[in-house]
Amino acid sequence: MSYTLIPRRTRILLTTMLAGLLLSGCGVNNIPTYDESAKARWSDVQNQYQRRADLIPNLVETVKGYAAQEREVLTQVTEARAKASQIKVDASTVTDPAKFKEYQDAQSALTGALGRLLVTVERYPDLKSNQNFLALQSQLEGTENRISVARRDYIESVRAYNTELKTFPGLIWASTLYRSYKPMETFTVAEDLAKPPTVKF
Amino acid sequence: MFFQFRTAWGRAILGVLLCVAAFAAYALTFPELTGRVVDDAGVLDPSTKAALERKLAEFETKTTGQLVVVTLKSLQGTSIEDYGYQLGRHWQIGQKEKNTGALLIVAPNERKVRIEVGYGFEGTLTDAVSRLIIENSIIPRFRANDFAGGVGRGVDDIIQAVSVDSEEWKARAKQRPDDQPGLVDVLALVFFLFIVFMIVRSVAGQGRGYAQTGAGSRRGARGPIFIPIPGSWGSSGSSWSGGGGFSGGGGSFGGGGASGSW
């Protein structure tokens, strides 16, 4: 036999290096990678919701200028926005089911209130043709679209992460190296369907 | 026994491929990026297309940003917003990292038009500006069935909106990190190959002995070494393809822009 061609120690070393290479291809790094990716997508979602919240005061003021009597709808929007802004969200919200649901519900409520406001605006042709309002309205539509895209990206990244936790070989790593990594929450309300109606010209 | 194993594997792989093919049928299909003007719906005449190509190529040379005009035969049942950002991501319009890309999408059969703006252009080509361009320059001409005019004027307006900061971009473009694989990538590759070489040498060293002794089963276990290729190397490939043609620069889209219908 030719075992003596390669000394035992070298063979062990080479086998170890090979094992290391194979392991790195076996997905031991997947869980943290997917975790980081999902958290990045989550902060994108938050940014877009924040962007929407920032547009609202201006929108309310503009509408008040033409339709001050629609006090109820305007108050609803302002209150919904305040409620949504009060909820403190950060990276840890994604693994906290109660917190996540609270945030999701608050944002859905705001979407609903905005929808009602835009329906009300239909009755005021002067307001509808106001340049300021048109600019705000297009910004709002753009932001709603961005929210939609960000949510979809987030849902997809959470899906990848949760799947990795549950399937082989991620399952092995999850129960050994990554015991502190919990599955993430995903959006349940189909906000795409609850999009506020757009004003037709 | 080994032969049976291979057959079972083959069948399993075939099954997976068929499933994937079935799923693929439900996904959106995108036209090929044949150039900066992709007239899938056939509403633009050749001279318009040539003029647009020139304008858009000039824009890219000056600012490294990528603008693409595309007309679609069908939106395949989705909204133009939904289709738009996916198309932008599929083609990867815009420079990587900076995401300086924009699409002018026209769907004549659904009578929808959209300006899809990449992250990098959102500062100047805002949603409001996109909306104004669509309402004032594009839709009136589309209503009069003047697609060439509408698209041409729309492109001019977009270039104008976006060129506000072109000097800034030129400066940034010079500082743009090289698309070639970095030094770290090259070193990693060399190190990796060295390890592979050492392993192969050790296996080959024993192989010579095996041929003499005929211990075939041992060889089979060590046979094909499955080498995992790190995924990051795939990304540097996109900038090498093209060879004279136009290809996306690796940019992404987030859903910014505006739509309109006529």
PDB file of all heavy atoms in Angstrom, chain A residues 2-3 5 11 14 18 21-22 25 138-139 141-142 145-146 149 152-153 201, chain B residues 81-82 85 89 114 122 127-128 131 192 205-206 218 226 228 254-256:
ATOM      1  N   SER A   2       0.270   2.326  -0.533  1.00  0.00           N
ATOM      2  CA  SER A   2       1.058   3.548  -0.691  1.00  0.00           C
ATOM      3  C   SER A   2       0.678   4.603   0.328  1.00  0.00           C
ATOM      4  O   SER A   2       0.808   5.771   0.088  1.00  0.00           O
ATOM      5  CB  SER A   2       0.858   4.093  -2.095  1.00  0.00           C
ATOM      6  OG  SER A   2      -0.516   4.197  -2.334  1.00  0.00           O
ATOM      7  N   TYR A   3       0.139   4.208   1.461  1.00  0.00           N
ATOM      8  CA  TYR A   3      -0.227   5.204   2.476  1.00  0.00           C
ATOM      9  C   TYR A   3       0.987   5.981   2.937  1.00  0.00           C
ATOM     10  O   TYR A   3       0.888   7.112   3.365  1.00  0.00           O
ATOM     11  CB  TYR A   3      -0.878   4.527   3.678  1.00  0.00           C
ATOM     12  CG  TYR A   3      -2.313   4.109   3.436  1.00  0.00           C
ATOM     13  CD1 TYR A   3      -2.721   2.785   3.569  1.00  0.00           C
ATOM     14  CD2 TYR A   3      -3.268   5.049   3.069  1.00  0.00           C
ATOM     15  CE1 TYR A   3      -4.020   2.417   3.336  1.00  0.00           C
ATOM     16  CE2 TYR A   3      -4.570   4.690   2.849  1.00  0.00           C
ATOM     17  CZ  TYR A   3      -4.941   3.361   2.985  1.00  0.00           C
ATOM     18  OH  TYR A   3      -6.241   2.997   2.763  1.00  0.00           O
ATOM     19  N   LEU A   5       3.141   7.254   1.263  1.00  0.00           N
ATOM     20  CA  LEU A   5       3.495   8.327   0.332  1.00  0.00           C
ATOM     21  C   LEU A   5       3.179   9.694   0.953  1.00  0.00           C
ATOM     22  O   LEU A   5       3.924  10.643   0.807  1.00  0.00           O
ATOM     23  CB  LEU A   5       2.694   8.152  -0.974  1.00  0.00           C
ATOM     24  CG  LEU A   5       3.508   8.391  -2.250  1.00  0.00           C
ATOM     25  CD1 LEU A   5       4.576   7.309  -2.393  1.00  0.00           C
ATOM     26  CD2 LEU A   5       2.601   8.358  -3.459  1.00  0.00           C
ATOM     27  N   ARG A  11      -2.218  14.151   5.759  1.00  0.00           N
ATOM     28  CA  ARG A  11      -3.501  13.670   5.269  1.00  0.00           C
ATOM     29  C   ARG A  11      -4.631  14.199   6.128  1.00  0.00           C
ATOM     30  O   ARG A  11      -5.667  14.624   5.646  1.00  0.00           O
ATOM     31  CB  ARG A  11      -3.538  12.143   5.253  1.00  0.00           C
ATOM     32  CG  ARG A  11      -3.616  11.570   3.863  1.00  0.00           C
ATOM     33  CD  ARG A  11      -3.763  10.094   3.859  1.00  0.00           C
ATOM     34  NE  ARG A  11      -2.693   9.430   4.569  1.00  0.00           N
ATOM     35  CZ  ARG A  11      -2.894   8.475   5.474  1.00  0.00           C
ATOM     36  NH1 ARG A  11      -4.096   8.072   5.761  1.00  0.00           N
ATOM     37  NH2 ARG A  11      -1.879   7.908   6.090  1.00  0.00           N
ATOM     38  N   LEU A  14      -5.130  17.858   5.347  1.00  0.00           N
ATOM     39  CA  LEU A  14      -5.820  18.084   4.076  1.00  0.00           C
ATOM     40  C   LEU A  14      -7.292  17.700   4.167  1.00  0.00           C
ATOM     41  O   LEU A  14      -8.160  18.388   3.624  1.00  0.00           O
ATOM     42  CB  LEU A  14      -5.134  17.282   2.966  1.00  0.00           C
ATOM     43  CG  LEU A  14      -3.773  17.829   2.544  1.00  0.00           C
ATOM     44  CD1 LEU A  14      -3.088  16.859   1.596  1.00  0.00           C
ATOM     45  CD2 LEU A  14      -3.939  19.183   1.877  1.00  0.00           C
ATOM     46  N   LEU A  18     -10.465  20.137   3.537  1.00  0.00           N
ATOM     47  CA  LEU A  18     -11.524  19.771   2.597  1.00  0.00           C
ATOM     48  C   LEU A  18     -12.873  19.813   3.287  1.00  0.00           C
ATOM     49  O   LEU A  18     -13.846  20.336   2.755  1.00  0.00           O
ATOM     50  CB  LEU A  18     -11.256  18.366   2.032  1.00  0.00           C
ATOM     51  CG  LEU A  18     -12.302  17.840   1.064  1.00  0.00           C
ATOM     52  CD1 LEU A  18     -12.338  18.708  -0.190  1.00  0.00           C
ATOM     53  CD2 LEU A  18     -12.024  16.402   0.679  1.00  0.00           C
ATOM     54  N   LEU A  21     -14.023  23.325   3.633  1.00  0.00           N
ATOM     55  CA  LEU A  21     -14.561  23.875   2.383  1.00  0.00           C
ATOM     56  C   LEU A  21     -15.962  23.345   2.117  1.00  0.00           C
ATOM     57  O   LEU A  21     -16.858  24.084   1.730  1.00  0.00           O
ATOM     58  CB  LEU A  21     -13.640  23.485   1.224  1.00  0.00           C
ATOM     59  CG  LEU A  21     -12.347  24.285   1.118  1.00  0.00           C
ATOM     60  CD1 LEU A  21     -11.436  23.657   0.083  1.00  0.00           C
ATOM     61  CD2 LEU A  21     -12.657  25.717   0.729  1.00  0.00           C
ATOM     62  N   LEU A  22     -16.144  22.051   2.333  1.00  0.00           N
ATOM     63  CA  LEU A  22     -17.451  21.450   2.072  1.00  0.00           C
ATOM     64  C   LEU A  22     -18.504  22.036   3.009  1.00  0.00           C
ATOM     65  O   LEU A  22     -19.612  22.323   2.596  1.00  0.00           O
ATOM     66  CB  LEU A  22     -17.386  19.927   2.252  1.00  0.00           C
ATOM     67  CG  LEU A  22     -16.641  19.181   1.150  1.00  0.00           C
ATOM     68  CD1 LEU A  22     -16.538  17.698   1.484  1.00  0.00           C
ATOM     69  CD2 LEU A  22     -17.354  19.354  -0.175  1.00  0.00           C
ATOM     70  N   GLY A  25     -19.845  25.260   2.049  1.00  0.00           N
ATOM     71  CA  GLY A  25     -20.820  25.166   0.978  1.00  0.00           C
ATOM     72  C   GLY A  25     -22.106  24.516   1.470  1.00  0.00           C
ATOM     73  O   GLY A  25     -23.082  24.446   0.746  1.00  0.00           O
ATOM     74  N   SER A 138     -49.327  62.680  -5.846  1.00  0.00           N
ATOM     75  CA  SER A 138     -48.440  61.786  -6.592  1.00  0.00           C
ATOM     76  C   SER A 138     -47.345  61.244  -5.684  1.00  0.00           C
ATOM     77  O   SER A 138     -46.921  60.102  -5.809  1.00  0.00           O
ATOM     78  CB  SER A 138     -47.855  62.490  -7.807  1.00  0.00           C
ATOM     79  OG  SER A 138     -47.037  63.551  -7.417  1.00  0.00           O
ATOM     80  N   GLN A 139     -46.902  62.094  -4.732  1.00  0.00           N
ATOM     81  CA  GLN A 139     -45.908  61.606  -3.775  1.00  0.00           C
ATOM     82  C   GLN A 139     -46.503  60.499  -2.914  1.00  0.00           C
ATOM     83  O   GLN A 139     -45.832  59.510  -2.600  1.00  0.00           O
ATOM     84  CB  GLN A 139     -45.438  62.746  -2.866  1.00  0.00           C
ATOM     85  CG  GLN A 139     -44.432  63.648  -3.514  1.00  0.00           C
ATOM     86  CD  GLN A 139     -44.067  64.802  -2.625  1.00  0.00           C
ATOM     87  OE1 GLN A 139     -44.939  65.458  -2.067  1.00  0.00           O
ATOM     88  NE2 GLN A 139     -42.784  65.051  -2.486  1.00  0.00           N
ATOM     89  N   GLU A 141     -48.972  58.467  -3.729  1.00  0.00           N
ATOM     90  CA  GLU A 141     -49.095  57.260  -4.544  1.00  0.00           C
ATOM     91  C   GLU A 141     -47.764  56.563  -4.691  1.00  0.00           C
ATOM     92  O   GLU A 141     -47.655  55.338  -4.585  1.00  0.00           O
ATOM     93  CB  GLU A 141     -49.632  57.609  -5.929  1.00  0.00           C
ATOM     94  CG  GLU A 141     -51.130  57.724  -5.986  1.00  0.00           C
ATOM     95  CD  GLU A 141     -51.592  58.209  -7.345  1.00  0.00           C
ATOM     96  OE1 GLU A 141     -50.787  58.200  -8.296  1.00  0.00           O
ATOM     97  OE2 GLU A 141     -52.752  58.600  -7.438  1.00  0.00           O
ATOM     98  N   GLY A 142     -46.720  57.367  -4.949  1.00  0.00           N
ATOM     99  CA  GLY A 142     -45.389  56.798  -5.095  1.00  0.00           C
ATOM    100  C   GLY A 142     -44.960  56.094  -3.815  1.00  0.00           C
ATOM    101  O   GLY A 142     -44.386  55.000  -3.851  1.00  0.00           O
ATOM    102  N   ASN A 145     -46.707  52.841  -3.342  1.00  0.00           N
ATOM    103  CA  ASN A 145     -46.104  51.829  -4.203  1.00  0.00           C
ATOM    104  C   ASN A 145     -44.805  51.314  -3.599  1.00  0.00           C
ATOM    105  O   ASN A 145     -44.522  50.112  -3.606  1.00  0.00           O
ATOM    106  CB  ASN A 145     -45.853  52.418  -5.595  1.00  0.00           C
ATOM    107  CG  ASN A 145     -45.572  51.343  -6.621  1.00  0.00           C
ATOM    108  OD1 ASN A 145     -46.130  50.264  -6.554  1.00  0.00           O
ATOM    109  ND2 ASN A 145     -44.680  51.626  -7.553  1.00  0.00           N
ATOM    110  N   ARG A 146     -44.013  52.237  -3.078  1.00  0.00           N
ATOM    111  CA  ARG A 146     -42.754  51.824  -2.463  1.00  0.00           C
ATOM    112  C   ARG A 146     -43.002  50.944  -1.247  1.00  0.00           C
ATOM    113  O   ARG A 146     -42.271  49.978  -0.997  1.00  0.00           O
ATOM    114  CB  ARG A 146     -41.948  53.043  -2.026  1.00  0.00           C
ATOM    115  CG  ARG A 146     -41.271  53.775  -3.155  1.00  0.00           C
ATOM    116  CD  ARG A 146     -40.333  54.829  -2.607  1.00  0.00           C
ATOM    117  NE  ARG A 146     -39.829  55.681  -3.649  1.00  0.00           N
ATOM    118  CZ  ARG A 146     -40.479  56.701  -4.164  1.00  0.00           C
ATOM    119  NH1 ARG A 146     -41.670  57.021  -3.716  1.00  0.00           N
ATOM    120  NH2 ARG A 146     -39.945  57.417  -5.129  1.00  0.00           N
ATOM    121  N   VAL A 149     -43.766  47.515  -2.528  1.00  0.00           N
ATOM    122  CA  VAL A 149     -42.566  46.800  -2.984  1.00  0.00           C
ATOM    123  C   VAL A 149     -41.719  46.378  -1.791  1.00  0.00           C
ATOM    124  O   VAL A 149     -41.237  45.242  -1.727  1.00  0.00           O
ATOM    125  CB  VAL A 149     -41.745  47.705  -3.931  1.00  0.00           C
ATOM    126  CG1 VAL A 149     -40.392  47.087  -4.236  1.00  0.00           C
ATOM    127  CG2 VAL A 149     -42.490  47.940  -5.220  1.00  0.00           C
ATOM    128  N   ARG A 152     -43.193  43.408  -0.081  1.00  0.00           N
ATOM    129  CA  ARG A 152     -42.994  42.180  -0.835  1.00  0.00           C
ATOM    130  C   ARG A 152     -41.569  41.656  -0.676  1.00  0.00           C
ATOM    131  O   ARG A 152     -41.335  40.464  -0.507  1.00  0.00           O
ATOM    132  CB  ARG A 152     -43.328  42.398  -2.306  1.00  0.00           C
ATOM    133  CG  ARG A 152     -44.615  41.726  -2.709  1.00  0.00           C
ATOM    134  CD  ARG A 152     -44.980  42.031  -4.112  1.00  0.00           C
ATOM    135  NE  ARG A 152     -45.747  43.245  -4.214  1.00  0.00           N
ATOM    136  CZ  ARG A 152     -46.003  43.876  -5.346  1.00  0.00           C
ATOM    137  NH1 ARG A 152     -45.519  43.424  -6.468  1.00  0.00           N
ATOM    138  NH2 ARG A 152     -46.718  44.967  -5.347  1.00  0.00           N
ATOM    139  N   ASP A 153     -40.611  42.577  -0.735  1.00  0.00           N
ATOM    140  CA  ASP A 153     -39.211  42.168  -0.550  1.00  0.00           C
ATOM    141  C   ASP A 153     -39.024  41.576   0.837  1.00  0.00           C
ATOM    142  O   ASP A 153     -38.324  40.581   1.017  1.00  0.00           O
ATOM    143  CB  ASP A 153     -38.277  43.380  -0.698  1.00  0.00           C
ATOM    144  CG  ASP A 153     -38.162  43.830  -2.137  1.00  0.00           C
ATOM    145  OD1 ASP A 153     -38.548  43.054  -3.040  1.00  0.00           O
ATOM    146  OD2 ASP A 153     -37.671  44.946  -2.366  1.00  0.00           O
ATOM    147  N   PHE A 201     -58.343  61.485 -13.235  1.00  0.00           N
ATOM    148  CA  PHE A 201     -58.469  62.794 -13.872  1.00  0.00           C
ATOM    149  C   PHE A 201     -59.382  62.687 -15.077  1.00  0.00           C
ATOM    150  O   PHE A 201     -59.129  61.926 -15.979  1.00  0.00           O
ATOM    151  CB  PHE A 201     -57.089  63.302 -14.285  1.00  0.00           C
ATOM    152  CG  PHE A 201     -56.258  63.664 -13.090  1.00  0.00           C
ATOM    153  CD1 PHE A 201     -55.315  62.786 -12.599  1.00  0.00           C
ATOM    154  CD2 PHE A 201     -56.474  64.850 -12.416  1.00  0.00           C
ATOM    155  CE1 PHE A 201     -54.576  63.116 -11.478  1.00  0.00           C
ATOM    156  CE2 PHE A 201     -55.736  65.170 -11.299  1.00  0.00           C
ATOM    157  CZ  PHE A 201     -54.780  64.309 -10.825  1.00  0.00           C
TER     158      PHE A 201
ATOM    159  N   GLU B  81     -47.436  49.155 -12.201  1.00  0.00           N
ATOM    160  CA  GLU B  81     -46.501  49.383 -11.106  1.00  0.00           C
ATOM    161  C   GLU B  81     -45.802  48.082 -10.724  1.00  0.00           C
ATOM    162  O   GLU B  81     -44.595  48.040 -10.503  1.00  0.00           O
ATOM    163  CB  GLU B  81     -47.237  49.915  -9.860  1.00  0.00           C
ATOM    164  CG  GLU B  81     -47.747  51.327  -9.960  1.00  0.00           C
ATOM    165  CD  GLU B  81     -49.107  51.393 -10.607  1.00  0.00           C
ATOM    166  OE1 GLU B  81     -49.718  50.321 -10.779  1.00  0.00           O
ATOM    167  OE2 GLU B  81     -49.557  52.494 -10.941  1.00  0.00           O
ATOM    168  N   ASP B  82     -46.617  47.028 -10.637  1.00  0.00           N
ATOM    169  CA  ASP B  82     -46.112  45.724 -10.271  1.00  0.00           C
ATOM    170  C   ASP B  82     -45.119  45.208 -11.318  1.00  0.00           C
ATOM    171  O   ASP B  82     -44.049  44.712 -10.997  1.00  0.00           O
ATOM    172  CB  ASP B  82     -47.311  44.765 -10.165  1.00  0.00           C
ATOM    173  CG  ASP B  82     -46.954  43.509  -9.434  1.00  0.00           C
ATOM    174  OD1 ASP B  82     -46.007  43.559  -8.628  1.00  0.00           O
ATOM    175  OD2 ASP B  82     -47.614  42.491  -9.669  1.00  0.00           O
ATOM    176  N   TYR B  85     -41.364  47.588 -11.651  1.00  0.00           N
ATOM    177  CA  TYR B  85     -40.152  47.451 -10.841  1.00  0.00           C
ATOM    178  C   TYR B  85     -39.515  46.081 -11.035  1.00  0.00           C
ATOM    179  O   TYR B  85     -38.298  45.933 -10.970  1.00  0.00           O
ATOM    180  CB  TYR B  85     -40.453  47.737  -9.357  1.00  0.00           C
ATOM    181  CG  TYR B  85     -40.937  46.579  -8.529  1.00  0.00           C
ATOM    182  CD1 TYR B  85     -40.038  45.809  -7.812  1.00  0.00           C
ATOM    183  CD2 TYR B  85     -42.289  46.273  -8.455  1.00  0.00           C
ATOM    184  CE1 TYR B  85     -40.483  44.753  -7.035  1.00  0.00           C
ATOM    185  CE2 TYR B  85     -42.730  45.220  -7.692  1.00  0.00           C
ATOM    186  CZ  TYR B  85     -41.822  44.460  -6.981  1.00  0.00           C
ATOM    187  OH  TYR B  85     -42.263  43.420  -6.225  1.00  0.00           O
ATOM    188  N   ARG B  89     -35.705  45.432 -12.222  1.00  0.00           N
ATOM    189  CA  ARG B  89     -34.776  44.567 -11.479  1.00  0.00           C
ATOM    190  C   ARG B  89     -34.272  43.437 -12.346  1.00  0.00           C
ATOM    191  O   ARG B  89     -33.118  43.038 -12.242  1.00  0.00           O
ATOM    192  CB  ARG B  89     -35.480  43.993 -10.250  1.00  0.00           C
ATOM    193  CG  ARG B  89     -35.648  45.008  -9.152  1.00  0.00           C
ATOM    194  CD  ARG B  89     -36.215  44.371  -7.923  1.00  0.00           C
ATOM    195  NE  ARG B  89     -36.358  45.347  -6.856  1.00  0.00           N
ATOM    196  CZ  ARG B  89     -36.906  45.081  -5.693  1.00  0.00           C
ATOM    197  NH1 ARG B  89     -37.358  43.862  -5.444  1.00  0.00           N
ATOM    198  NH2 ARG B  89     -37.011  46.010  -4.771  1.00  0.00           N
ATOM    199  N   ARG B 114     -45.867  54.385 -17.567  1.00  0.00           N
ATOM    200  CA  ARG B 114     -45.232  54.553 -16.265  1.00  0.00           C
ATOM    201  C   ARG B 114     -43.783  54.981 -16.450  1.00  0.00           C
ATOM    202  O   ARG B 114     -43.093  54.506 -17.354  1.00  0.00           O
ATOM    203  CB  ARG B 114     -45.296  53.262 -15.462  1.00  0.00           C
ATOM    204  CG  ARG B 114     -44.613  53.384 -14.124  1.00  0.00           C
ATOM    205  CD  ARG B 114     -44.918  52.244 -13.184  1.00  0.00           C
ATOM    206  NE  ARG B 114     -44.172  52.402 -11.939  1.00  0.00           N
ATOM    207  CZ  ARG B 114     -44.543  53.162 -10.920  1.00  0.00           C
ATOM    208  NH1 ARG B 114     -45.674  53.822 -10.984  1.00  0.00           N
ATOM    209  NH2 ARG B 114     -43.802  53.267  -9.843  1.00  0.00           N
ATOM    210  N   GLU B 122     -34.111  59.056  -7.572  1.00  0.00           N
ATOM    211  CA  GLU B 122     -35.325  59.518  -6.886  1.00  0.00           C
ATOM    212  C   GLU B 122     -35.177  60.929  -6.345  1.00  0.00           C
ATOM    213  O   GLU B 122     -36.168  61.576  -6.042  1.00  0.00           O
ATOM    214  CB  GLU B 122     -35.692  58.549  -5.756  1.00  0.00           C
ATOM    215  CG  GLU B 122     -36.378  57.307  -6.281  1.00  0.00           C
ATOM    216  CD  GLU B 122     -36.823  56.374  -5.176  1.00  0.00           C
ATOM    217  OE1 GLU B 122     -36.742  56.763  -4.008  1.00  0.00           O
ATOM    218  OE2 GLU B 122     -37.253  55.252  -5.491  1.00  0.00           O
ATOM    219  N   ASP B 127     -41.387  61.581  -7.663  1.00  0.00           N
ATOM    220  CA  ASP B 127     -42.698  61.083  -8.069  1.00  0.00           C
ATOM    221  C   ASP B 127     -43.528  62.200  -8.680  1.00  0.00           C
ATOM    222  O   ASP B 127     -44.214  62.014  -9.683  1.00  0.00           O
ATOM    223  CB  ASP B 127     -43.448  60.523  -6.851  1.00  0.00           C
ATOM    224  CG  ASP B 127     -42.715  59.369  -6.233  1.00  0.00           C
ATOM    225  OD1 ASP B 127     -41.834  58.799  -6.887  1.00  0.00           O
ATOM    226  OD2 ASP B 127     -43.037  59.043  -5.083  1.00  0.00           O
ATOM    227  N   ALA B 128     -43.451  63.374  -8.040  1.00  0.00           N
ATOM    228  CA  ALA B 128     -44.254  64.502  -8.523  1.00  0.00           C
ATOM    229  C   ALA B 128     -43.799  64.919  -9.918  1.00  0.00           C
ATOM    230  O   ALA B 128     -44.629  65.164 -10.812  1.00  0.00           O
ATOM    231  CB  ALA B 128     -44.149  65.668  -7.554  1.00  0.00           C
ATOM    232  N   ARG B 131     -44.887  62.438 -12.458  1.00  0.00           N
ATOM    233  CA  ARG B 131     -46.320  62.577 -12.730  1.00  0.00           C
ATOM    234  C   ARG B 131     -46.583  63.729 -13.684  1.00  0.00           C
ATOM    235  O   ARG B 131     -47.369  63.625 -14.622  1.00  0.00           O
ATOM    236  CB  ARG B 131     -47.049  62.810 -11.399  1.00  0.00           C
ATOM    237  CG  ARG B 131     -48.543  62.860 -11.521  1.00  0.00           C
ATOM    238  CD  ARG B 131     -49.080  61.576 -12.102  1.00  0.00           C
ATOM    239  NE  ARG B 131     -50.526  61.540 -12.110  1.00  0.00           N
ATOM    240  CZ  ARG B 131     -51.258  61.150 -11.090  1.00  0.00           C
ATOM    241  NH1 ARG B 131     -50.684  60.770  -9.978  1.00  0.00           N
ATOM    242  NH2 ARG B 131     -52.563  61.152 -11.174  1.00  0.00           N
ATOM    243  N   PHE B 192      -7.627  29.329  -2.782  1.00  0.00           N
ATOM    244  CA  PHE B 192      -8.557  28.228  -2.993  1.00  0.00           C
ATOM    245  C   PHE B 192      -7.958  27.194  -3.950  1.00  0.00           C
ATOM    246  O   PHE B 192      -7.966  25.997  -3.692  1.00  0.00           O
ATOM    247  CB  PHE B 192      -9.849  28.810  -3.546  1.00  0.00           C
ATOM    248  CG  PHE B 192     -10.939  27.823  -3.704  1.00  0.00           C
ATOM    249  CD1 PHE B 192     -11.579  27.282  -2.602  1.00  0.00           C
ATOM    250  CD2 PHE B 192     -11.338  27.405  -4.962  1.00  0.00           C
ATOM    251  CE1 PHE B 192     -12.600  26.377  -2.754  1.00  0.00           C
ATOM    252  CE2 PHE B 192     -12.354  26.504  -5.112  1.00  0.00           C
ATOM    253  CZ  PHE B 192     -12.992  25.984  -4.004  1.00  0.00           C
ATOM    254  N   GLY B 205      -1.535  11.014  -5.720  1.00  0.00           N
ATOM    255  CA  GLY B 205      -0.393  10.280  -5.202  1.00  0.00           C
ATOM    256  C   GLY B 205      -0.788   8.873  -4.786  1.00  0.00           C
ATOM    257  O   GLY B 205      -0.102   7.898  -5.051  1.00  0.00           O
ATOM    258  N   GLN B 206      -1.967   8.789  -4.148  1.00  0.00           N
ATOM    259  CA  GLN B 206      -2.420   7.476  -3.732  1.00  0.00           C
ATOM    260  C   GLN B 206      -2.960   6.686  -4.907  1.00  0.00           C
ATOM    261  O   GLN B 206      -2.920   5.467  -4.907  1.00  0.00           O
ATOM    262  CB  GLN B 206      -3.517   7.608  -2.669  1.00  0.00           C
ATOM    263  CG  GLN B 206      -2.933   8.063  -1.339  1.00  0.00           C
ATOM    264  CD  GLN B 206      -3.990   8.431  -0.350  1.00  0.00           C
ATOM    265  OE1 GLN B 206      -5.088   8.799  -0.745  1.00  0.00           O
ATOM    266  NE2 GLN B 206      -3.693   8.345   0.927  1.00  0.00           N
ATOM    267  N   ARG B 218     -12.280   2.118  -2.795  1.00  0.00           N
ATOM    268  CA  ARG B 218     -11.722   3.230  -2.025  1.00  0.00           C
ATOM    269  C   ARG B 218     -11.720   4.498  -2.873  1.00  0.00           C
ATOM    270  O   ARG B 218     -12.081   5.567  -2.446  1.00  0.00           O
ATOM    271  CB  ARG B 218     -10.306   2.852  -1.595  1.00  0.00           C
ATOM    272  CG  ARG B 218      -9.794   3.615  -0.412  1.00  0.00           C
ATOM    273  CD  ARG B 218     -10.471   3.206   0.878  1.00  0.00           C
ATOM    274  NE  ARG B 218     -10.580   4.311   1.797  1.00  0.00           N
ATOM    275  CZ  ARG B 218      -9.622   4.701   2.614  1.00  0.00           C
ATOM    276  NH1 ARG B 218      -8.454   4.144   2.580  1.00  0.00           N
ATOM    277  NH2 ARG B 218      -9.835   5.695   3.457  1.00  0.00           N
ATOM    278  N   PHE B 226     -16.798  17.576  -4.563  1.00  0.00           N
ATOM    279  CA  PHE B 226     -17.761  18.634  -4.848  1.00  0.00           C
ATOM    280  C   PHE B 226     -17.219  19.947  -4.301  1.00  0.00           C
ATOM    281  O   PHE B 226     -17.102  20.129  -3.101  1.00  0.00           O
ATOM    282  CB  PHE B 226     -19.103  18.298  -4.185  1.00  0.00           C
ATOM    283  CG  PHE B 226     -20.142  19.298  -4.489  1.00  0.00           C
ATOM    284  CD1 PHE B 226     -20.673  19.405  -5.769  1.00  0.00           C
ATOM    285  CD2 PHE B 226     -20.593  20.170  -3.520  1.00  0.00           C
ATOM    286  CE1 PHE B 226     -21.643  20.341  -6.055  1.00  0.00           C
ATOM    287  CE2 PHE B 226     -21.567  21.109  -3.807  1.00  0.00           C
ATOM    288  CZ  PHE B 226     -22.088  21.176  -5.063  1.00  0.00           C
ATOM    289  N   PRO B 228     -17.689  23.712  -3.645  1.00  0.00           N
ATOM    290  CA  PRO B 228     -18.676  24.803  -3.649  1.00  0.00           C
ATOM    291  C   PRO B 228     -18.034  26.099  -4.126  1.00  0.00           C
ATOM    292  O   PRO B 228     -16.964  26.462  -3.681  1.00  0.00           O
ATOM    293  CB  PRO B 228     -19.090  24.910  -2.179  1.00  0.00           C
ATOM    294  CG  PRO B 228     -17.911  24.394  -1.432  1.00  0.00           C
ATOM    295  CD  PRO B 228     -17.233  23.397  -2.287  1.00  0.00           C
ATOM    296  N   GLY B 254     -36.975  50.343  -6.504  1.00  0.00           N
ATOM    297  CA  GLY B 254     -37.740  50.217  -5.276  1.00  0.00           C
ATOM    298  C   GLY B 254     -39.193  50.590  -5.404  1.00  0.00           C
ATOM    299  O   GLY B 254     -39.908  50.643  -4.411  1.00  0.00           O
ATOM    300  N   GLY B 255     -39.656  50.865  -6.628  1.00  0.00           N
ATOM    301  CA  GLY B 255     -41.067  51.201  -6.774  1.00  0.00           C
ATOM    302  C   GLY B 255     -41.334  52.676  -6.891  1.00  0.00           C
ATOM    303  O   GLY B 255     -42.478  53.108  -6.838  1.00  0.00           O
ATOM    304  N   GLY B 256     -40.313  53.501  -7.046  1.00  0.00           N
ATOM    305  CA  GLY B 256     -40.526  54.942  -7.185  1.00  0.00           C
ATOM    306  C   GLY B 256     -40.948  55.299  -8.599  1.00  0.00           C
ATOM    307  O   GLY B 256     -40.725  54.549  -9.532  1.00  0.00           O
TER     308      GLY B 256
END
